[in-house]
Amino acid sequence: MADSGTKTADEDLITATGHPTHVHDFHQLLYAPLGRITVTTPDGEHELASPLALWLPAGTPHSARFDPESLVLAEPFDPAAHRLPFARATAIRLDDAARRQLLARTRGAGTEADDAAVFAALTCTRPRRDARLPLPRPTSEAARAVAGTLLRRPDDQRTATEWAESLYVSSTSLRRAFRTETGIAFSEWRTRVRLNHSLELLSRGHQVGAVAAKVGFTSTNGYILAFRRHFGRTPGAWTKECAERSTG
């Protein structure tokens, strides 16, 4: 385990349900192998459930909420020994190998060599064309109907309230169904659908602005920000890296 640096006063307030805003003088990776956590940074909220994890560069203010029965791993890395390739809070998708390495660290203290290997695995930015965001499906009738339509037409702009009215259910019930049955809010579920659809369009050579419109984002900038928050790179960088990988 890397040296976690000096403990801040706010860290004494960490509980089973979360913690208030504080900062670290070390880089930190947050991961929930069980359950879900929500981390708030100056860039917005990040909802994390396996296999998504979040890098917090040293000095990033953040607070967190932990769902009941969540298991939270917080891995620190010394900035003097490890150069983080992300300048802001960045979500990453862990593959099976990275998850095994991360979980193995919880069973005992590691060496500096172990830290270097794990850090390299957790900061690998090589893109994968199949690196889709996890998207659990709702099970109740109304939420399942909404999900089915969005999977076919991610550009559908109806809000949760408008969906509820068309299906003769309350918007509160519909939102609760998505949260309870998928583990994420309706708005986040829809964003993931759109981002997953966009990967295929990008891989076919579509321009970023056209992709944003096709999958339902109201602005190209909004799409780029969402893409970077979830995948750790811009759509343009993702496309370039995929091309380099396929020819490398």
Side-chain angles (χ1 to χ4, degrees):
M1 187 77 67
D3 181 7
S4 61
T6 304
K7 185 176 182 180
T8 65
D10 281 343
E11 288 185 82
D12 293 327
L13 300 178
I14 296 176
T15 69
T17 60
H19 63 72
T21 300
H22 64 215
V23 299
H24 303 298
D25 58 4
F26 49 86
H27 303 316
Q28 185 180 61
L29 183 86
L30 290 176
Y31 174 55
L34 296 174
R36 181 182 71 250
I37 64 177
T38 302
V39 183
T40 302
T41 72
D43 297 320
E45 285 195 345
H46 305 263
E47 292 196 8
L48 306 178
S50 185
L52 290 183
L54 183 71
W55 271 112
L56 294 169
T60 302
H62 63 282
S63 61
R65 301 192 305 274
F66 307 150
D67 279 11
E69 301 182 1
S70 292
L71 174 62
V72 182
L73 302 184
E75 289 296 320
F77 292 90
D78 183 359
H82 304 287
R83 182 180 179 277
L84 191 66
F86 310 118
R88 62 178 68 191
T90 300
I92 62 170
R93 187 178 189 274
L94 302 180
D95 59 21
D96 290 339
R99 288 199 294 272
R100 285 194 296 270
Q101 284 182 295
L102 193 56
L103 291 171
R105 283 170 64 85
T106 67
R107 293 194 286 268
T111 65
E112 290 186 5
D114 292 332
D115 279 348
V118 173
F119 186 82
L122 297 175
T123 54
C124 177
T125 59
R126 297 290 284 177
R128 291 172 46 187
R129 290 183 183 272
D130 62 345
R132 294 176 178 271
L133 298 166
L135 200 66
R137 305 294 174 83
T139 55
S140 59
E141 184 176 356
R144 191 170 65 246
V146 174
T149 300
L150 287 173
L151 286 168
R152 294 189 302 271
R153 289 292 308 275
D155 59 335
D156 193 308
Q157 294 295 330
R158 279 176 285 183
T159 65
T161 298
E162 291 169 335
W163 274 112
E165 290 175 351
S166 68
L167 295 168
Y168 304 102
V169 297
S170 73
S171 60
T172 299
S173 296
L174 183 62
R175 292 177 188 276
R176 184 184 300 119
F178 268 91
R179 173 72 74 176
T180 302
E181 297 165 15
T182 72
I184 53 181
F186 166 76
S187 59
E188 171 66 11
W189 198 94
R190 183 177 59 185
T191 294
R192 292 189 187 186
V193 169
R194 291 173 172 174
L195 291 174
N196 284 346
H197 274 261
S198 78
L199 296 180
E200 178 63 26
L201 295 174
L202 289 172
S203 69
R204 294 179 187 172
H206 291 267
Q207 295 298 309
V208 171
V211 170
K214 285 178 180 293
V215 300
F217 283 90
T218 56
S219 73
T220 301
N221 188 55
Y223 168 57
I224 293 172
L225 290 174
F227 194 101
R228 182 165 56 190
R229 180 164 65 90
H230 285 82
F231 294 117
R233 56 184 62 74
T234 65
W238 186 92
T239 301
K240 180 180 179 181
E241 290 170 12
C242 280
E244 291 173 347
R245 185 180 183 188
S246 63
T247 59

